[in-house]
Amino acid sequence: MSVTIAAIGEHALIERLRQKVGLVPPYVVLGIGDDAAVVTPERGTVDVLTTDCLVEGIHFRRDWTAAADIGYKALSVNLSDLAAMGATPRACLLGLVLPPSLPLADFDELVDGFAALARASGAVLVGGNLTRSPGPVVIDVTAIGAARRRRLLRRDTARPGDELYVSGAIGGAAAGLAWLGSGTGRSDLDALALAAVARYERPLARCRLGSAVARSGSVVAAIDLSDGLASAARTMAAASGVGVVVEGEAIPVDPGARHWAARAALDAVLFALEGGEDYELAFAVRPRLRSRFLAAAARSRGLAVTRVGRFVPEPGAWLERQGSKGDLPSGFRHF
Amino acid sequence: MSVTIAAIGEHALIERLRQKVGLVPPYVVLGIGDDAAVVTPERGTVDVLTTDCLVEGIHFRRDWTAAADIGYKALSVNLSDLAAMGATPRACLLGLVLPPSLPLADFDELVDGFAALARASGAVLVGGNLTRSPGPVVIDVTAIGAARRRRLLRRDTARPGDELYVSGAIGGAAAGLAWLGSGTGRSDLDALALAAVARYERPLARCRLGSAVARSGSVVAAIDLSDGLASAARTMAAASGVGVVVEGEAIPVDPGARHWAARAALDAVLFALEGGEDYELAFAVRPRLRSRFLAAAARSRGLAVTRVGRFVPEPGAWLERQGSKGDLPSGFRHF
């Protein structure tokens, strides 16, 4: 039988976590090990704070996804929220709710996946807590970033006439989830399907893009695509008191989403629009700032931004296809 | 049948949360509703960050404890960590992992209990997230406070010769939990037992005391008693590379703990030492700073501090009773 986390105990687990933190920058006054962590704020910036969790059975299945990927994603979804505010990651807290029977090897892998992204992103792991779970694994993360107050990317400041842009390609993560749920074994998946699964399991938060366009001053509003493009566009418009028209033909549908949609006989554009978890960013850009926005975005090597719609005066959300306008799908709901 | 949270949906739940926030101070740039919250740091202070969660079936039972008390406690245990650093609460994030079948009335009560303490403590609710749970309720909280860097109360800075002090009375919360587990109905509990249950269900974080003694500069190390006095003393000593002697006769045992210990034929001092969840504070105080410490503590009206031991050069943890020294119990373990 494999060694469980209960067998080695809380202190040893915290010690294992601490060893994965890596280099601690001078702004971290106190990291793991005291009642609370202490971080010196960056002069001239505001603190940007977000928390999100992954719950076994809701966001992941341990029999589908490797523990390292689960740990990675738990941080990535939080970094995506910082990216959507135009903030640069500085620190994070990791709360693990774990069944005592969890194999120690799974703990180590999960923490490795998390800590590798923490080091790579600059979100230094400074604290957290370990709690016994009566069943599901819950990974709760808080991420802290810094941004200039005047460069914050809110979601409620889009205006009629602004253009809607999206980063990357859309629908890949939803296709990956669909493949995982299809019962097809990984060894039977082709390259496009495997790429889609990777999009779902290891989403890349767009931190560099978010802070680059924030610093450029060209973006007037932004949101991340955790719940999909349809939901993001709808939410930005509603929060801003305006309407939005998404242009169906313009949507950069991920090849993996087209692939799955073809197999499942679904409309690829609707599938991509409604699919969650891409963790791309959506932006509202004033036409007169467009070239500045595109120049800033171009500095995020390899990541395209695409104009996919426009904000309009009348509140509401529409999808325009072949010249005719219908309601925009409502997207993913958590409850 | 009662209305469930699934019936009203995520947006309506967030709106209900937002209405409970109360007055938002100017340092909160963005509260609930965007991808992340934004807070302006207090000039000349460092950010103190902590996260802790309550898990159904581990930390509470919904059939034992009112939802309002569960919400209250979820914040209080985090505020206690800030208090132990000498930090003043400024903001908090609330992550709720909830079964869709949760009655809306329970959601409202839980959030009321949380929000009332958030308003009273100054930990303004600025964000969080809602997630579906496959089973247990998990309430995950992050609290952010401010402290002067030079006045931080670490746990690893006790020295031989320092005196160990504790606030309030010890063991009451453990007695409360014991009464809840005894099968005795609440209506059959006497006043002492009910007071103990209240200590367990609505612990008071010692924020005022923590920041008062921190500001006075009289305390050289501090920790909270989440896992009990024995564990706290042991942890401070080990982190500081010194030893500690707890003086059994000096321990301010809560009357509720004596009451339960008498009923269960337990040694009241050991019961109090090992009992967790009192959320009092333990301090290391240099003898020459004692009067300054006592004067600062006296300004926390109604809350006594008691000298219960001393730090010694030889690493280890002992309990001294009637002049003879034995090992200090090891206290509560999470795994």
Side-chain angles (χ1 to χ4, degrees), chain B residues 188-212:
Chain B
D188 296 324
L189 296 180
D190 62 19
L192 269 177
L194 285 171
V197 169
R199 286 285 316 236
Y200 171 73
E201 292 186 328
R202 292 183 83 88
L204 294 162
R206 301 307 190 184
C207 292
R208 192 172 301 184
L209 176 64
S211 54

Side-chain angles (χ1 to χ4, degrees), chain B residues 219-308:
Chain B
V219 165
V220 293
I223 190 171
D224 85 336
L225 262 55
S226 46
D227 297 342
L229 177 57
S231 170
R234 195 178 271 284
T235 301
M236 276 178 97
S240 303
V242 300
V244 66
V245 179
V246 175
E247 298 164 11
E249 279 79 24
I251 293 171
V253 178
D254 188 283
R258 292 204 186 279
H259 181 48
W260 171 261
R263 176 190 142 127
L266 299 169
D267 180 317
V269 167
L270 289 181
F271 177 78
L273 263 174
E274 295 195 297
E277 306 221 55
D278 280 319
Y279 298 102
E280 296 293 346
L281 300 177
F283 303 104
V285 179
R286 305 244 194 283
R288 66 177 174 81
L289 298 173
R290 185 193 304 130
S291 57
R292 202 200 295 181
F293 167 68
L294 293 173
R299 289 195 288 274
S300 288
R301 287 154 294 176
L303 183 61
V305 293
T306 309
R307 184 189 174 288
V308 295

